[in-house]
């Protein structure tokens, strides 16, 4: 989610935080419509070719991991030699491999995790993901001070063609990765980001001088918000056709129902629920977004971060025991690296990707 947060911060620091929330709501709502339109043609296309590519999923995931690493650019420092451009790629590879090795170890020893609840079934994903993406970011937050500038409520000023492009790129990327195991929305966001950059380079010579420099951030917020929504919508379709749950919501549904209960009428009911929830959340998000900055300005972020960090430690201890705590602290240590190495935090998705790549290969 770091990729989604940073453009939002750009607008927040410019006093346009409410607009960033409007853009996110628009991207998500637009992606629901786009995903439903694409559901049958794109879904049946992927369903048709899935048996053909099933034996090559390991190689596809390996290519996506390769793409994550080679597109890492970092900060260029003049005068450091010709090899300095490869430094951040090496850092990205290091984070990917270290998190991947931790994942291999943790999944291999998952039976050592024990929950305080006798009926509980400990999942080692809790300490892994809480450490890599939760606790590590909270620790970084504790070393900084947060000041929210005065915000102004404004309508979306992004041109219609850029709104459509953002929704389309996010929807396509999110629907594509819904079929692949171990590929998170953050990785789909990376694919959408690369698509936006390619299109941006093609149009760079035609860009008007009067164009708002924040328009790229606005378009990207729309695209990222569409990724998550499209991934959820197509996740229903994927589960119905191949019986595989690719996100947490579908796992929850599958745990409550038998596979035989998931038929076409049931999928249509769920799609109706998605549409109704999207309509409600679109308007409520905009309404809350207009005033939430007034509350956020009063929050003591240091105390909040400490409280959440302590809550994570307690939760990991309760649900995974001492082995989970060891994994949690190891994951937190690796999760700190991307911030100091100036690389994407999504490289730490190697914790899931590397074990799955090795499994398929």
């Amino acid at each position: 989610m770091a990729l989604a947060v940073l453009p939002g911060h750009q607008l927040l620091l410019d006093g346009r935080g409410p607009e960033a929330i409007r853009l996110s709501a628009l991207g998500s709502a637009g992606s629901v419509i786009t995903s439903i339109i694409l559901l049958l043609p794109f879904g049946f296309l992927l369903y048709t070719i899935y048996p053909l590519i099933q034996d090559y999923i390991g190689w596809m995931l390996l290519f996506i991991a390769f793409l994550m690493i080679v597109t890492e650019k970092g900060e260029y420092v003049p005068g450091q030699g010709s090899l300095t451009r490869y430094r951040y790629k090496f850092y990205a590879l290091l984070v990917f491999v270290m998190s991947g090795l931790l994942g291999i170890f943790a999944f291999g020893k998952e039976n050592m995790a024990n929950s305080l609840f006798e009926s509980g079934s400990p999942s080692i994903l809790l300490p892994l993901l809480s450490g890599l993406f939760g606790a590590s970011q909270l620790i970084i937050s504790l070393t900084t001070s947060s000041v929210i500038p005065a915000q102004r409520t404004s309508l979306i000023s992004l041109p219609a063609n850029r709104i459509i492009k953002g929704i389309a790129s996010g929807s396509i990327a999110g629907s594509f990765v819904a079929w692949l195991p171990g590929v998170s929305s953050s990785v789909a966001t990376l694919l959408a980001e690369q698509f936006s950059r390619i299109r941006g380079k093609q149009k760079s010579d035609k860009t008007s001088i009067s164009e708002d420099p924040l328009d790229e951030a606005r378009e990207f917020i729309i695209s990222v918000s569409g990724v998550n929504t499209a991934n959820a919508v197509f996740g229903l379709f994927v589960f119905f056709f191949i019986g595989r749950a690719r996100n947490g919501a579908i796992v929850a549904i599958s745990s409550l129902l038998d596979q035989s209960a998931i038929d076409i009428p049931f999928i249509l009911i769920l799609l109706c629920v998605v549409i109704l929830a999207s309509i409600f959340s679109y308007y409520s998000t905009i309404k809350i977004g207009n005033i939430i900055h007034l509350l956020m300005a009063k929050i003591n972020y240091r105390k909040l971060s400490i409280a959440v960090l302590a809550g994570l430690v307690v939760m990991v201890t309760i649900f995974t025991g001492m082995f989970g705590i060891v994994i949690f602290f190891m994951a937190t240590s690796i999760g700190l690296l991307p911030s100091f190495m100036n690389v994407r935090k999504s490289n730490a998705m190697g914790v899931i990707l590397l074990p799955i790549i090795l499994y398929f290969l």
Side-chain angles (χ1 to χ4, degrees), residues 75-252:
E75 182 183 4
Y76 175 71
V77 180
Q80 286 196 350
S82 59
L83 295 179
T84 187
R85 70 182 68 178
Y86 300 107
R87 178 173 60 182
Y88 295 101
K89 291 176 174 55
F90 172 74
Y91 288 161
L93 176 63
L94 188 64
V95 171
F96 183 86
V97 171
M98 288 182 69
S99 60
L101 292 175
L102 176 61
I104 292 170
F105 170 75
F107 289 124
K109 302 291 184 182
E110 190 168 17
N111 61 309
M112 295 179 64
N114 59 299
S115 171
L116 294 183
F117 301 102
E118 292 183 4
S119 59
S121 163
S123 171
I124 207 65
L125 279 173
L126 174 63
L128 281 173
L129 300 183
S130 297
L132 285 168
F133 301 103
S136 58
Q137 200 61 42
L138 289 169
I139 291 172
I140 295 294
S141 298
L142 288 173
T143 64
T144 60
S145 57
S146 302
V147 178
I148 297 179
Q151 301 294 306
R152 57 186 183 276
T153 302
S154 59
L155 298 175
I156 296 172
S157 58
L158 191 66
N161 64 318
R162 300 198 70 160
I163 292 175
I164 294 171
K165 191 180 84 171
I167 292 173
S169 61
S171 300
I172 292 171
S175 59
F176 174 72
V177 301
W179 293 81
L180 299 175
V183 180
S184 67
S185 294
S186 63
V187 179
T189 300
L190 173 65
L191 298 177
E193 178 190 34
Q194 296 308 310
F195 177 77
S196 296
R197 281 181 176 177
I198 291 170
R199 291 291 300 274
K201 287 179 181 177
Q202 291 173 346
K203 296 186 177 181
S204 59
D205 295 334
K206 304 177 183 178
T207 302
S208 170
I209 297 176
S210 61
E211 185 176 326
D212 192 329
L214 287 174
D215 276 358
E216 187 175 346
R218 291 185 175 98
E219 181 184 330
F220 191 59
I221 290 171
I222 290 175
S223 178
V224 172
S225 303
V227 164
N228 286 294
T229 306
N231 192 282
V233 172
F234 268 85
L236 294 171
F237 197 86
V238 171
F239 183 70
F240 172 70
F241 274 107
I242 66 175
R244 303 288 175 85
R246 298 297 194 221
N247 61 60
I250 306 302
V251 171

